[in-house]
């Protein structure tokens, strides 16, 4: 048997599915061929590891760690709410301030307009001339007169 | 404390019941996760996640299956998700190193040094790579079967399949592992 043939039959050899004659030939080849022998031995050794169970022991602080993580998570959750709520609250306060400012200002403006229109009544023609001097006497005429 | 006492205790916020659950099943969950991730620290982190998940979703547990089966399922799902995430991370890491240096830095395809005799740590690494390449069901059945004290019937309950399916999955997993290891060593020992 040559290496190529042996390679093809390795899986059957490891699964113990070779007939006696082929098995003997296979074994004979393994005696002479170091590399084929190494392949078979590495596969066997590695497969043995699959059956070996490595067991970890319990961690005495596991519960404390889990508890701390649950508590941290609820604090973080509150913080994340804070992060969302804070800008909303600030914007709301600013909008309320702006609205209050605008409504107060417009109220004062309307009041002052109402005061001018309703409460101030011209009492005489002299007063009207006095208040509207420019309309009655232009500045140029005023400067050209002697007295 | 019976299983029912533990469940109803946790549902009503009893810390003692939750502590009892963690103490009783911690080792089982830890070793289940370890079978899939093969790293002690990762297995411990996953165990924490499993119990937090139990704490959060105990109200969903209706008692149709055993509490232990439910724990196994959560542990298996969490571990498989972790392995999947890790694979993706490794892939992106390799792509990143390829684009930055022009070479793949693939840790998963370690090369075999034929001149140096192998030790069990290296063999375990190759074995783990071979296990990672199995189909998901074969992998779950094979990994759970390696746990101490778990029966085929329990594995069947966890996987929601028949006992004969579990036997067949484990058998096929072993055959495939052997084939993959043979291919690996044939390619590296010449």
């Amino acid at each position: 048997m040559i290496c190529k043939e042996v390679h093809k039959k390795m899986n059957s050899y490891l699964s113990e599915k070779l007939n006696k004659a082929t098995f003997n030939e296979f074994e004979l080849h393994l005696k002479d061929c170091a590399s084929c022998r190494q392949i078979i031995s590495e596969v066997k050794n590695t497969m043995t590891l699959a059956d070996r169970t490595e067991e970890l022991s319990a961690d005495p602080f596991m519960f404390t760690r889990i508890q701390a993580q649950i508590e941290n998570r609820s604090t973080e959750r509150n913080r994340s709410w804070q992060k969302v709520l804070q800008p909303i609250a600030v914007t709301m306060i600013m909008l309320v301030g702006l609205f209050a400012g605008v409504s107060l200002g417009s109220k004062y403006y309307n009041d002052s307009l109402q005061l001018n229109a309703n409460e101030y009544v011209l009492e005489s023609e002299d007063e009207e001339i006095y208040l509207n001097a420019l309309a009655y006497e232009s500045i140029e005429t005023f400067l050209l007169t002697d007295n | 404390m019976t299983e029912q006492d533990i469940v109803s205790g946790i549902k009503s916020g009893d810390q003692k019941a939750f502590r009892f659950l963690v103490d009783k099943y911690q080792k089982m969950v830890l070793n289940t996760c370890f079978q899939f991730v093969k790293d002690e620290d990762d297995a411990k982190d996953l165990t924490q996640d499993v119990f937090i998940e139990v704490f959060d979703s105990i109200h969903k547990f209706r008692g149709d299956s055993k509490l232990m089966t439910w724990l196994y399922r959560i542990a298996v799902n969490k571990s498989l998700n972790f392995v999947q995430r890790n694979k993706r991370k490794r892939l992106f890491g390799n792509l990143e190193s390829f684009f930055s240096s022009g070479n793949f830095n693939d840790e998963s395809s370690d090369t075999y040094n034929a001149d140096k005799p192998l030790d069990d740590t290296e063999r375990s690494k190759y074995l783990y790579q071979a296990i990672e390449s199995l189909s998901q069901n074969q992998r779950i059945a094979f990994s759970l079967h390696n746990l101490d004290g778990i029966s085929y019937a329990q594995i069947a309950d966890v996987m929601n399949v028949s006992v004969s399916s579990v036997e067949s999955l484990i058998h096929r997993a072993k055959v495939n592992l052997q084939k993959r290891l043979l291919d690996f060593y044939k390619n590296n020992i010449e």
Side-chain angles (χ1 to χ4, degrees):
Chain A
M1 231 184 232
I2 56 167
C3 284
K4 209 174 173 182
E5 282 175 86
V6 169
H7 278 203
K8 274 184 191 167
K9 290 185 169 71
M10 274 178 176
N11 201 28
S12 307
Y13 170 79
L14 286 165
S15 312
E16 296 171 6
K17 283 178 183 166
L18 290 181
N19 61 43
K20 196 151 189 193
T22 322
F23 178 84
N24 288 340
E25 271 186 78
F26 194 98
E27 292 257 285
L28 209 65
H29 175 88
L30 285 189
K31 269 184 190 165
D32 299 330
C33 179
S35 72
C36 287
R37 209 169 44 234
Q38 200 186 346
I39 293 169
I40 293 290
S41 118
E42 285 301 358
V43 173
K44 275 184 179 170
N45 288 336
T46 313
M47 285 304 285
T48 316
L49 286 180
D51 297 328
R52 202 186 297 164
T53 318
E54 191 185 341
E55 207 180 50
L56 301 179
S57 47
D59 178 355
F61 303 109
M62 184 58 81
F63 180 74
T64 321
R65 281 163 56 183
I66 291 168
Q67 209 179 17
Q69 208 169 324
I70 290 172
E71 276 165 18
N72 277 350
R73 208 181 42 167
S74 57
T75 322
E76 266 169 33
R77 233 181 247 166
N78 287 342
R79 266 190 216 140
S80 64
W81 271 111
Q82 241 176 23
K83 273 181 195 168
V84 176
L85 285 179
Q86 208 167 20
I88 294 174
V90 169
T91 316
M92 292 288 282
I93 290 167
M94 283 174 74
L95 282 175
V96 167
L98 195 72
F99 181 73
V102 168
S103 59
L104 276 174
S106 64
K107 190 170 183 279
Y108 175 75
Y109 181 69
N110 284 340
D111 284 352
S112 60
L113 274 183
Q114 274 171 3
L115 191 78
N116 283 339
N118 299 335
E119 285 183 11
Y120 196 80
V121 180
L122 293 176
E123 280 171 357
S124 64
E125 199 181 326
D126 286 346
E127 200 178 12
E128 190 184 329
I129 292 167
Y130 176 73
L131 284 170
N132 297 300
L134 281 176
Y136 285 93
E137 192 177 350
S138 69
I139 193 84
E140 290 88 355
T141 321
F142 176 71
L143 289 171
L144 286 172
T145 50
D146 291 336
N147 47 359
Chain B
M1 212 181 236
T2 64
E3 220 171 67
Q4 260 190 335
D5 292 338
I6 299 173
V7 175
S8 55
I10 300 172
K11 276 183 184 171
S12 61
D14 179 11
Q15 267 209 345
K16 271 185 197 164
F18 187 50
R19 186 177 203 127
F20 187 83
L21 174 94
V22 173
D23 290 343
K24 188 173 180 189
Y25 295 109
Q26 187 207 140
K27 203 174 165 189
M28 177 208 98
V29 172
L30 180 69
N31 281 294
T32 306
C33 297
F34 184 67
Q35 280 300 321
F36 290 89
V37 298
K38 293 289 172 199
D39 180 273
E40 194 173 341
D41 291 332
D42 289 340
K44 277 183 182 171
D45 289 345
L46 281 168
T47 306
Q48 275 188 51
D49 291 349
V50 169
F51 283 110
I52 289 170
E53 171 95 41
V54 169
F55 182 81
D56 285 342
S57 48
I58 191 79
H59 59 277
K60 288 183 197 161
F61 181 74
R62 295 188 308 267
D64 296 341
S65 58
K66 277 185 179 174
L67 183 62
M68 197 193 232
T69 309
W70 190 54
L71 280 170
Y72 269 125
R73 280 189 196 144
I74 299 176
V76 169
N77 282 337
K78 289 241 174 245
S79 306
L80 288 174
N81 286 342
F82 177 86
V83 172
Q84 204 64 34
R85 269 201 314 272
N86 252 17
K87 254 189 196 172
R88 246 177 269 145
K89 256 189 219 170
R90 255 190 332 219
L91 180 74
F92 282 118
N94 289 338
L95 284 175
E96 233 175 65
S97 73
F98 176 74
F99 285 117
S100 60
S101 65
N103 288 316
F104 274 113
N105 177 26
D106 191 359
E107 282 172 29
S108 62
S109 60
D110 285 307
T111 47
Y112 178 90
N113 186 357
D115 301 329
K116 207 178 84 187
L118 279 183
D119 59 23
D120 280 353
T121 319
E122 283 167 300
R123 285 193 193 106
S124 300
K125 207 162 64 185
Y126 301 135
L127 176 69
Y128 183 60
Q129 281 168 21
I131 293 173
E132 264 198 330
S133 69
L134 292 175
S135 74
Q136 186 157 298
N137 273 356
Q138 283 180 25
R139 187 174 181 190
I140 297 172
F142 182 79
S143 302
L144 289 178
H145 164 68
N146 277 346
L147 283 172
D148 232 14
I150 187 166
S151 64
Y152 278 23
Q154 273 176 305
I155 298 174
D157 275 347
V158 174
M159 294 181 73
N160 230 351
V161 293
S162 65
V163 175
S164 57
S165 300
V166 171
E167 284 169 353
S168 146
L169 281 169
I170 293 169
H171 174 72
R172 275 187 280 141
K174 280 183 179 171
V175 171
N176 285 332
L177 273 183
Q178 190 173 286
K179 273 187 197 161
R180 282 178 172 90
L181 288 171
L182 258 176
D183 288 342
F184 174 77
Y185 288 120
K186 271 183 209 167
N187 290 332
N188 290 288
I189 303 172
E190 285 297 338

